[in-house]
Amino acid sequence: MSLAAGPGRGHIAEGQLPEEMKLVVDKHVAYIQSLDTRRDELEYHLTEHLRIGGIYWGLTALHLLGQPDALPREGLLEYVRSCLHEDGGFGAAPGHDAHILYTGYSVQILTMIDGFEALEEKMPDGKHKVATFVANLQQSDGRFAGDQWGETDTRFLFSAFYTLSLLGYMPHQRPSEPPIIDVPAATAYIKACHNFDGGFGVAPGAESHSGQVFTCVGALSVAGELDSYLGEEGKDRLGAWLSERQLGSGGLNGRPEKLVDVCYSWWVGSSLAMIDRLHWLDKAKLTAFILQCQDPEQGGIADRPEDMVDVFHTVFGIAGLSLLGYPGVGEVDPAYCMPKHITAKIQRP
Ligand code: GRG
Protein backbone atom coordinates (compact mmCIF):
# COMPACT_ATOMS: atom_id res chain seq x y z
CA MET A 1 0.00 0.00 0.00
CA SER A 2 1.37 3.36 -0.85
CA LEU A 3 0.45 6.99 -0.52
CA ALA A 4 1.47 7.25 -4.18
CA ALA A 5 -0.47 10.02 -5.85
CA GLY A 6 -2.40 9.40 -9.03
CA PRO A 7 -2.71 8.01 -11.54
CA GLY A 8 -6.09 9.79 -11.76
CA ARG A 9 -7.28 13.30 -11.06
CA GLY A 10 -10.44 14.48 -9.36
CA HIS A 11 -12.99 15.80 -11.85
CA ILE A 12 -16.59 15.68 -12.96
CA ALA A 13 -17.33 13.12 -15.67
CA GLU A 14 -18.06 14.64 -19.07
CA GLY A 15 -21.67 15.68 -19.51
CA GLN A 16 -22.48 15.30 -15.83
CA LEU A 17 -23.73 18.04 -13.50
CA PRO A 18 -22.30 18.25 -9.96
CA GLU A 19 -25.68 17.40 -8.43
CA GLU A 20 -25.85 14.18 -10.50
CA MET A 21 -22.58 12.91 -9.03
CA LYS A 22 -22.51 9.72 -6.99
CA LEU A 23 -19.78 8.13 -4.93
CA VAL A 24 -18.08 5.61 -7.25
CA VAL A 25 -17.73 2.91 -4.60
CA ASP A 26 -16.42 0.09 -6.82
CA LYS A 27 -13.84 2.39 -8.41
CA HIS A 28 -12.55 3.50 -5.00
CA VAL A 29 -12.27 -0.11 -3.82
CA ALA A 30 -10.32 -1.05 -6.97
CA TYR A 31 -8.12 2.05 -6.57
CA ILE A 32 -7.18 1.10 -3.00
CA GLN A 33 -6.52 -2.51 -4.03
CA SER A 34 -4.23 -1.28 -6.82
CA LEU A 35 -1.94 0.76 -4.56
CA ASP A 36 0.30 -2.08 -3.45
CA THR A 37 0.79 -3.24 -7.02
CA ARG A 38 2.50 -0.03 -8.15
CA ARG A 39 5.91 -1.10 -6.89
CA ASP A 40 7.76 -0.15 -10.04
CA GLU A 41 6.92 3.54 -9.50
CA LEU A 42 9.48 5.82 -7.85
CA GLU A 43 6.75 7.37 -5.68
CA TYR A 44 5.98 3.98 -4.12
CA HIS A 45 9.51 3.87 -2.71
CA LEU A 46 9.67 7.59 -1.86
CA THR A 47 6.59 7.16 0.33
CA GLU A 48 7.88 4.15 2.29
CA HIS A 49 7.85 6.28 5.47
CA LEU A 50 4.05 6.53 5.07
CA ARG A 51 3.39 2.85 4.40
CA ILE A 52 1.67 1.84 7.66
CA GLY A 53 -0.38 5.04 7.58
CA GLY A 54 -1.36 4.20 3.99
CA ILE A 55 -2.56 0.78 5.06
CA TYR A 56 -4.65 2.25 7.89
CA TRP A 57 -6.19 4.85 5.55
CA GLY A 58 -6.93 2.30 2.82
CA LEU A 59 -8.34 -0.29 5.18
CA THR A 60 -10.56 2.23 6.96
CA ALA A 61 -11.91 3.46 3.62
CA LEU A 62 -12.66 -0.13 2.57
CA HIS A 63 -14.51 -0.79 5.82
CA LEU A 64 -16.64 2.32 5.35
CA LEU A 65 -17.34 1.31 1.75
CA GLY A 66 -18.61 -2.07 2.96
CA GLN A 67 -15.63 -4.06 1.59
CA PRO A 68 -13.62 -4.87 4.76
CA ASP A 69 -12.03 -7.99 3.22
CA ALA A 70 -10.86 -6.39 -0.01
CA LEU A 71 -7.22 -6.54 1.16
CA PRO A 72 -5.79 -9.96 2.18
CA ARG A 73 -5.85 -10.28 5.99
CA GLU A 74 -2.76 -12.51 6.17
CA GLY A 75 -0.71 -10.03 4.14
CA LEU A 76 -1.79 -7.15 6.37
CA LEU A 77 -0.99 -9.11 9.51
CA GLU A 78 2.43 -10.12 8.27
CA TYR A 79 3.26 -6.55 7.24
CA VAL A 80 2.17 -5.01 10.54
CA ARG A 81 4.07 -7.62 12.52
CA SER A 82 7.18 -6.94 10.44
CA CYS A 83 7.09 -3.30 11.64
CA LEU A 84 7.09 -4.28 15.34
CA HIS A 85 10.12 -3.53 17.53
CA GLU A 86 11.16 -5.40 20.67
CA ASP A 87 10.20 -2.43 22.87
CA GLY A 88 6.56 -2.68 21.67
CA GLY A 89 6.64 0.25 19.24
CA PHE A 90 5.93 0.01 15.51
CA GLY A 91 7.77 1.71 12.66
CA ALA A 92 6.25 3.00 9.41
CA ALA A 93 7.82 0.12 7.46
CA PRO A 94 10.19 -2.75 8.28
CA GLY A 95 13.49 -1.39 9.58
CA HIS A 96 12.09 2.09 10.34
CA ASP A 97 12.35 3.50 13.88
CA ALA A 98 9.41 3.00 16.21
CA HIS A 99 7.12 6.03 16.57
CA ILE A 100 3.90 6.70 18.43
CA LEU A 101 1.98 7.63 15.23
CA TYR A 102 2.88 4.37 13.47
CA THR A 103 2.16 2.44 16.65
CA GLY A 104 -1.31 4.02 16.68
CA TYR A 105 -1.97 3.14 13.03
CA SER A 106 -0.72 -0.44 13.61
CA VAL A 107 -3.04 -0.87 16.58
CA GLN A 108 -5.95 0.49 14.52
CA ILE A 109 -5.18 -2.02 11.75
CA LEU A 110 -4.86 -4.88 14.25
CA THR A 111 -8.20 -3.86 15.77
CA MET A 112 -9.93 -3.81 12.38
CA ILE A 113 -8.54 -7.22 11.32
CA ASP A 114 -8.97 -8.78 14.75
CA GLY A 115 -5.22 -9.38 14.91
CA PHE A 116 -4.28 -9.15 18.59
CA GLU A 117 -3.99 -12.92 19.05
CA ALA A 118 -1.52 -13.00 16.19
CA LEU A 119 0.38 -10.15 17.86
CA GLU A 120 0.63 -12.18 21.08
CA GLU A 121 1.97 -15.16 19.05
CA LYS A 122 4.84 -13.02 17.82
CA MET A 123 5.33 -11.15 21.12
CA PRO A 124 4.03 -12.74 24.34
CA ASP A 125 2.33 -10.09 26.49
CA GLY A 126 2.38 -7.99 23.32
CA LYS A 127 -0.56 -5.71 24.12
CA HIS A 128 1.03 -4.78 27.44
CA LYS A 129 4.39 -4.12 25.76
CA VAL A 130 2.78 -1.86 23.15
CA ALA A 131 0.91 0.01 25.88
CA THR A 132 4.14 0.42 27.86
CA PHE A 133 5.95 1.78 24.80
CA VAL A 134 3.23 4.43 24.45
CA ALA A 135 3.05 5.26 28.18
CA ASN A 136 6.83 5.67 28.43
CA LEU A 137 6.64 8.53 25.91
CA GLN A 138 4.70 10.75 28.35
CA GLN A 139 6.72 13.70 29.63
CA SER A 140 6.59 15.12 33.16
CA ASP A 141 4.34 18.05 32.06
CA GLY A 142 1.73 15.68 30.59
CA ARG A 143 2.49 15.91 26.88
CA PHE A 144 3.75 13.04 24.75
CA ALA A 145 6.88 12.66 22.65
CA GLY A 146 6.57 10.87 19.32
CA ASP A 147 9.66 8.73 19.82
CA GLN A 148 12.90 8.45 21.74
CA TRP A 149 14.18 11.72 20.24
CA GLY A 150 11.68 13.78 22.18
CA GLU A 151 9.69 15.98 19.74
CA THR A 152 6.28 16.72 21.24
CA ASP A 153 2.99 17.57 19.53
CA THR A 154 -0.72 17.34 20.33
CA ARG A 155 -0.96 14.66 17.58
CA PHE A 156 1.23 12.41 19.71
CA LEU A 157 -0.92 12.99 22.79
CA PHE A 158 -4.06 12.06 20.86
CA SER A 159 -2.32 8.98 19.43
CA ALA A 160 -1.35 7.89 22.91
CA PHE A 161 -4.93 8.20 24.18
CA TYR A 162 -6.69 6.37 21.35
CA THR A 163 -3.99 3.67 21.12
CA LEU A 164 -4.18 2.90 24.84
CA SER A 165 -7.95 2.93 24.67
CA LEU A 166 -8.00 0.43 21.76
CA LEU A 167 -5.60 -1.76 23.75
CA GLY A 168 -7.77 -1.47 26.89
CA TYR A 169 -5.04 0.30 28.87
CA MET A 170 -6.59 3.74 29.55
CA PRO A 171 -6.77 4.24 33.33
CA HIS A 172 -10.60 4.25 33.34
CA GLN A 173 -10.50 0.81 31.68
CA ARG A 174 -8.32 -0.60 34.50
CA PRO A 175 -9.63 1.06 37.68
CA SER A 176 -8.01 -1.49 39.99
CA GLU A 177 -4.49 -0.96 38.61
CA PRO A 178 -2.13 2.01 39.05
CA PRO A 179 -2.72 4.35 36.05
CA ILE A 180 -0.28 3.70 33.21
CA ILE A 181 -0.36 7.42 32.21
CA ASP A 182 -1.21 10.71 33.93
CA VAL A 183 -4.49 11.70 32.21
CA PRO A 184 -5.11 14.94 34.18
CA ALA A 185 -1.62 16.23 33.29
CA ALA A 186 -2.23 15.42 29.61
CA THR A 187 -5.63 17.11 29.51
CA ALA A 188 -4.18 20.14 31.32
CA TYR A 189 -1.64 20.36 28.51
CA ILE A 190 -4.49 20.32 25.97
CA LYS A 191 -6.08 23.19 27.86
CA ALA A 192 -2.84 25.14 27.52
CA CYS A 193 -3.15 24.74 23.72
CA HIS A 194 -6.68 26.25 23.73
CA ASN A 195 -6.83 29.69 22.06
CA PHE A 196 -9.05 32.75 22.55
CA ASP A 197 -10.70 32.12 19.14
CA GLY A 198 -12.05 28.80 20.41
CA GLY A 199 -9.62 26.61 18.45
CA PHE A 200 -6.50 24.67 19.46
CA GLY A 201 -2.92 24.87 18.24
CA VAL A 202 -0.07 22.38 18.07
CA ALA A 203 1.52 23.76 21.26
CA PRO A 204 0.67 26.50 23.79
CA GLY A 205 0.44 29.86 21.98
CA ALA A 206 0.40 28.33 18.49
CA GLU A 207 -2.18 29.38 15.86
CA SER A 208 -5.44 27.42 15.79
CA HIS A 209 -5.49 24.76 13.09
CA SER A 210 -8.38 22.36 12.51
CA GLY A 211 -6.02 19.35 12.35
CA GLN A 212 -4.86 20.18 15.87
CA VAL A 213 -8.44 20.90 16.91
CA PHE A 214 -9.27 17.32 15.91
CA THR A 215 -6.41 15.91 18.00
CA CYS A 216 -7.32 17.95 21.10
CA VAL A 217 -11.08 17.38 20.85
CA GLY A 218 -10.44 13.71 20.01
CA ALA A 219 -8.19 13.26 23.05
CA LEU A 220 -10.74 14.94 25.34
CA SER A 221 -13.46 12.74 23.87
CA VAL A 222 -11.49 9.50 24.36
CA ALA A 223 -10.77 10.58 27.96
CA GLY A 224 -14.42 11.50 28.55
CA GLU A 225 -13.49 15.11 29.39
CA LEU A 226 -15.09 16.99 26.49
CA ASP A 227 -18.06 18.36 28.43
CA SER A 228 -16.08 19.15 31.57
CA TYR A 229 -13.41 21.05 29.60
CA LEU A 230 -15.42 22.91 26.98
CA GLY A 231 -18.95 23.25 28.32
CA GLU A 232 -21.68 24.68 26.04
CA GLU A 233 -19.99 28.09 25.76
CA GLY A 234 -16.67 26.54 24.72
CA LYS A 235 -18.42 24.29 22.22
CA ASP A 236 -20.24 27.29 20.73
CA ARG A 237 -17.01 29.27 20.37
CA LEU A 238 -15.15 26.32 18.83
CA GLY A 239 -18.16 25.44 16.66
CA ALA A 240 -18.26 29.00 15.30
CA TRP A 241 -14.54 28.92 14.42
CA LEU A 242 -14.88 25.48 12.80
CA SER A 243 -17.98 26.33 10.79
CA GLU A 244 -16.25 29.45 9.43
CA ARG A 245 -13.87 27.04 7.71
CA GLN A 246 -16.53 26.40 5.04
CA LEU A 247 -15.99 28.54 1.93
CA GLY A 248 -18.21 29.32 -1.06
CA SER A 249 -17.19 26.16 -2.94
CA GLY A 250 -18.66 24.11 -0.09
CA GLY A 251 -15.19 22.80 0.83
CA LEU A 252 -13.42 23.53 4.11
CA ASN A 253 -10.02 25.02 4.89
CA GLY A 254 -7.86 24.24 7.92
CA ARG A 255 -7.45 27.84 9.12
CA PRO A 256 -8.34 31.36 7.91
CA GLU A 257 -7.05 32.55 4.52
CA LYS A 258 -6.01 29.05 3.40
CA LEU A 259 -7.19 26.87 0.53
CA VAL A 260 -9.97 24.32 0.86
CA ASP A 261 -8.93 20.67 1.02
CA VAL A 262 -11.01 17.48 1.17
CA CYS A 263 -9.14 16.23 4.24
CA TYR A 264 -10.62 19.08 6.30
CA SER A 265 -14.03 17.52 5.69
CA TRP A 266 -12.71 15.07 8.24
CA TRP A 267 -10.64 17.21 10.64
CA VAL A 268 -13.33 19.91 10.83
CA GLY A 269 -16.37 17.64 10.37
CA SER A 270 -15.37 15.10 13.01
CA SER A 271 -14.55 17.87 15.52
CA LEU A 272 -17.98 19.44 14.93
CA ALA A 273 -19.58 15.99 15.29
CA MET A 274 -17.83 15.43 18.63
CA ILE A 275 -19.18 18.75 19.96
CA ASP A 276 -22.64 18.10 18.47
CA ARG A 277 -22.50 20.99 16.01
CA LEU A 278 -22.06 19.25 12.65
CA HIS A 279 -25.34 20.80 11.52
CA TRP A 280 -23.58 24.20 11.51
CA LEU A 281 -22.09 23.22 8.13
CA ASP A 282 -23.94 23.28 4.81
CA LYS A 283 -23.94 19.50 4.39
CA ALA A 284 -25.25 19.41 0.82
CA LYS A 285 -22.54 21.80 -0.41
CA LEU A 286 -19.77 19.89 1.38
CA THR A 287 -21.04 16.58 -0.03
CA ALA A 288 -21.00 18.02 -3.57
CA PHE A 289 -17.47 19.38 -3.03
CA ILE A 290 -16.13 15.99 -1.91
CA LEU A 291 -17.78 14.20 -4.84
CA GLN A 292 -16.22 16.68 -7.28
CA CYS A 293 -12.77 15.70 -5.97
CA GLN A 294 -13.13 12.02 -6.92
CA ASP A 295 -11.86 10.48 -10.13
CA PRO A 296 -15.07 8.93 -11.48
CA GLU A 297 -13.21 6.67 -13.92
CA GLN A 298 -10.25 5.27 -11.97
CA GLY A 299 -11.28 5.92 -8.38
CA GLY A 300 -9.53 7.78 -5.58
CA ILE A 301 -10.18 11.27 -4.17
CA ALA A 302 -7.95 14.36 -4.47
CA ASP A 303 -7.51 17.35 -2.14
CA ARG A 304 -9.27 19.62 -4.67
CA PRO A 305 -10.97 19.18 -8.06
CA GLU A 306 -8.42 18.68 -10.88
CA ASP A 307 -5.62 17.56 -8.52
CA MET A 308 -4.19 14.06 -8.34
CA VAL A 309 -5.92 11.50 -6.15
CA ASP A 310 -4.19 9.73 -3.24
CA VAL A 311 -5.19 7.36 -0.45
CA PHE A 312 -4.97 10.00 2.34
CA HIS A 313 -7.59 12.21 0.70
CA THR A 314 -9.57 9.14 -0.33
CA VAL A 315 -10.13 8.00 3.24
CA PHE A 316 -10.80 11.45 4.66
CA GLY A 317 -13.22 12.22 1.83
CA ILE A 318 -15.12 8.98 2.43
CA ALA A 319 -15.03 9.41 6.22
CA GLY A 320 -16.32 12.96 5.70
CA LEU A 321 -19.21 11.60 3.62
CA SER A 322 -19.90 9.11 6.40
CA LEU A 323 -20.25 11.96 8.92
CA LEU A 324 -22.60 13.68 6.47
CA GLY A 325 -24.80 10.57 6.31
CA TYR A 326 -24.08 9.78 2.66
CA PRO A 327 -26.21 6.77 1.65
CA GLY A 328 -24.41 3.41 1.68
CA VAL A 329 -21.31 4.60 3.54
CA GLY A 330 -20.79 2.88 6.91
CA GLU A 331 -20.94 4.93 10.11
CA VAL A 332 -17.58 6.29 11.27
CA ASP A 333 -16.55 7.04 14.84
CA PRO A 334 -15.52 10.73 14.88
CA ALA A 335 -12.88 10.26 17.60
CA TYR A 336 -11.13 7.12 16.28
CA CYS A 337 -11.73 7.45 12.51
CA MET A 338 -12.72 3.81 12.43
CA PRO A 339 -16.03 2.04 11.78
CA LYS A 340 -18.45 2.68 14.63
CA HIS A 341 -19.50 -0.97 14.91
CA ILE A 342 -15.86 -1.79 15.77
CA THR A 343 -15.26 1.04 18.25
CA ALA A 344 -18.58 0.18 19.92
CA LYS A 345 -16.66 -2.60 21.72
CA ILE A 346 -14.33 -0.11 23.43
CA GLN A 347 -15.04 0.62 27.07
CA ARG A 348 -15.61 4.41 27.08
CA PRO A 349 -15.52 6.53 30.26
C1 GRG B 1 -6.33 8.36 13.68
C2 GRG B 1 -7.30 10.04 12.07
C3 GRG B 1 -6.20 9.66 12.98
C4 GRG B 1 -5.14 10.50 13.13
C5 GRG B 1 -3.93 10.23 13.95
C6 GRG B 1 -1.68 12.18 12.69
C7 GRG B 1 -2.89 12.49 13.50
C8 GRG B 1 -3.36 11.52 14.53
C9 GRG B 1 -3.57 13.63 13.33
C10 GRG B 1 -3.18 14.68 12.34
C11 GRG B 1 -4.00 15.93 12.57
C12 GRG B 1 -3.55 17.02 11.65
C13 GRG B 1 -2.49 17.93 12.11
C14 GRG B 1 -4.14 17.16 10.44
C15 GRG B 1 -3.85 18.20 9.45
C16 GRG B 1 -3.05 17.66 8.31
C17 GRG B 1 -2.78 18.71 7.28
C18 GRG B 1 -3.52 18.67 6.03
C19 GRG B 1 -1.85 19.64 7.51
C20 GRG B 1 -1.53 20.68 6.53
O1 GRG B 1 -1.14 21.82 7.23
P1 GRG B 1 -0.63 23.06 6.39
O2 GRG B 1 -0.28 24.15 7.31
O3 GRG B 1 -1.91 23.31 5.53
O4 GRG B 1 0.42 22.63 5.43
P2 GRG B 1 -2.90 24.51 5.40
O5 GRG B 1 -4.14 23.85 4.86
O6 GRG B 1 -3.12 25.13 6.76
O7 GRG B 1 -2.29 25.42 4.42
Side-chain angles (χ1 to χ4, degrees), residues 26-206:
D26 293 348
K27 300 277 166 58
H28 294 315
V29 171
Y31 168 71
I32 293 165
Q33 285 176 315
S34 77
L35 291 171
D36 201 41
T37 63
R38 294 168 52 193
R39 295 185 184 202
D40 56 347
E41 290 178 34
L42 177 63
E43 184 142 351
Y44 182 89
H45 300 281
L46 292 179
T47 54
E48 187 177 80
H49 61 293
L50 295 166
R51 197 77 76 226
I52 206 81
I55 295 175
Y56 156 65
W57 299 324
L59 186 63
T60 302
L62 291 171
H63 271 263
L64 297 176
L65 294 174
Q67 299 278 340
D69 304 319
L71 293 176
R73 180 177 183 276
E74 280 311 309
L76 293 175
L77 207 46
E78 201 182 303
Y79 193 82
V80 174
R81 293 201 306 183
S82 71
C83 298
L84 178 61
H85 288 251
E86 272 180 18
D87 62 1
F90 290 82
H96 286 228
D97 287 355
H99 192 284
I100 203 165
L101 287 182
Y102 310 132
T103 302
Y105 295 144
S106 300
V107 168
Q108 286 173 297
I109 297 166
L110 289 173
T111 306
M112 284 190 275
I113 63 173
D114 205 6
F116 286 115
E117 257 180 45
L119 171 74
E120 301 284 332
E121 276 164 25
K122 167 146 185 174
M123 177 182 269
D125 210 16
K127 265 187 167 182
H128 182 249
K129 285 193 181 127
V130 178
T132 305
F133 169 82
V134 171
N136 284 344
L137 289 168
Q138 190 170 30
Q139 313 294 296
S140 53
D141 64 358
R143 54 187 153 168
F144 279 81
D147 57 19
Q148 60 169 323
W149 307 111
E151 184 194 6
T152 59
D153 184 320
T154 45
R155 286 176 310 163
F156 307 153
L157 192 157
F158 168 63
S159 264
F161 274 27
Y162 83 73
T163 304
L164 291 175
S165 129
L166 291 173
L167 292 167
Y169 275 87
M170 276 298 272
H172 70 264
Q173 295 168 316
R174 293 178 176 254
S176 58
E177 294 176 16
I180 192 167
I181 57 165
D182 185 343
V183 173
T187 50
Y189 181 73
I190 293 174
K191 197 168 195 179
C193 298
H194 201 179
N195 290 324
F196 68 95
D197 59 12
F200 293 84
V202 67

Side-chain angles (χ1 to χ4, degrees), residues 247-317:
L247 303 189
S249 64
L252 309 172
N253 63 12
R255 49 191 164 137
E257 304 300 326
K258 291 290 199 154
L259 294 178
V260 295
D261 182 322
V262 152
C263 73
Y264 295 118
S265 316
W266 174 257
W267 310 117
V268 173
S270 60
S271 302
L272 282 168
M274 286 187 271
I275 60 168
D276 306 314
R277 276 145 181 84
L278 186 59
H279 56 288
W280 289 12
L281 291 180
D282 184 329
K283 291 187 184 181
K285 281 188 84 170
L286 179 55
T287 302
F289 175 78
I290 298 171
L291 293 176
Q292 284 171 48
C293 295
Q294 59 179 353
D295 176 346
E297 281 93 34
Q298 300 185 79
I301 300 179
D303 55 356
R304 286 178 281 280
E306 307 304 333
D307 283 354
M308 272 189 165
V309 303
D310 61 69
V311 69
F312 176 87
H313 292 92
T314 301
V315 67
F316 292 121

